[in-house]
Amino acid sequence: MKIDVNHITMIYPSGKKALQDISISVESPGFVGILGPNGAGKTTLMKLLIAGLIPTKGEILLDGKPQLSQEKKLKSQLGYLPQSFGLYDELTVWQFLDYMAALKNVKDRKVIDNVLERTNMTTKKKVRIRNLSGGQRQRVGIAQALLGDPQLIILDEPTVGLDPEERVKFRNIFSEMAQNKIILLSTHIVEDVQAVCNRVLVIHDGLILFDGSPAELISQSENHVGVYLSKLGDSVPADCQVVSKINTADGIRCRIVAERLPGFVQVAEPTLEDAYLYCIHKGA
């Protein structure tokens, strides 16, 4: 499968320009992480990719043909977990997945037991959804996205509400599935992207600021990340973005990114989180 996004602009009826003339291509196998602050345009991009919105300008191609002419094909090969999704609270977990399988025209109900096992929800399959914890509800959402062995999986904040151990498990599941599929992962958890994605998109104010590998993004921030000790009440140097502040016996250890580091700052080796924040800082 291959998806081409060609010069897409999305302007909502309110006048808000969510995306501005963006172009990307993704094809299987591929695991793409999408990073960006709230309101950057990540969710709009995902809704366009599932044909949930029609772009104001530009076109989206699925295997070289207009997406809208192949909506049936797209839906049959799609697994989608939106950031906010509704569950039928009166149904049991198994009943809900059975309903979703029917909507996806998945006739073999053995796949339900398979996704329950993969999401560690087998023991909860007879429990009504209203009695699940927040993390368990999130796992049900992930399970329905995996039904039917979809070739395109789009996940919007899939690990929200999961504990660290569960996040690691799902990162491994997604990574295994990406061997022969397209997976798009939108998240605020940079660690998730660093662990599993072979490509990163950074979106800010409807523009793509970066498109490449995690290593390439990190390399762009070399010599732009630094640490220094600050005393209580000290202000952050001008034109610097604070990454973290940690209290120590000697003072507050500050980690910053900047186009030009102040002379008193010690240069530090960048992480992907540093690189992402530097990219946003530079593009703001």
Side-chain angles (χ1 to χ4, degrees), residues 50-51 62 66-78 104-105:
I50 67 167
L62 177 61
Q67 178 201 57
L68 293 180
S69 69
Q70 301 190 86
E71 192 168 349
K72 186 175 180 180
K73 174 183 176 181
L74 173 65
K75 301 296 185 185
S76 69
Q77 299 184 17
L78 174 67
K104 292 187 175 187
N105 200 29

Side-chain angles (χ1 to χ4, degrees), residues 236-254:
V236 177
D239 300 323
C240 295
Q241 172 72 47
V242 177
V243 176
S244 66
K245 291 184 177 182
I246 301 174
N247 285 311
T248 70
D250 299 320
I252 301 173
R253 185 177 179 84
C254 298

Side-chain angles (χ1 to χ4, degrees), residues 88-104:
Y88 295 100
D89 285 354
E90 71 276 10
L91 298 180
T92 67
V93 171
W94 199 96
Q95 287 171 335
F96 173 74
L97 293 176
D98 180 55
Y99 170 70
M100 295 302 296
L103 291 181
K104 292 187 175 187

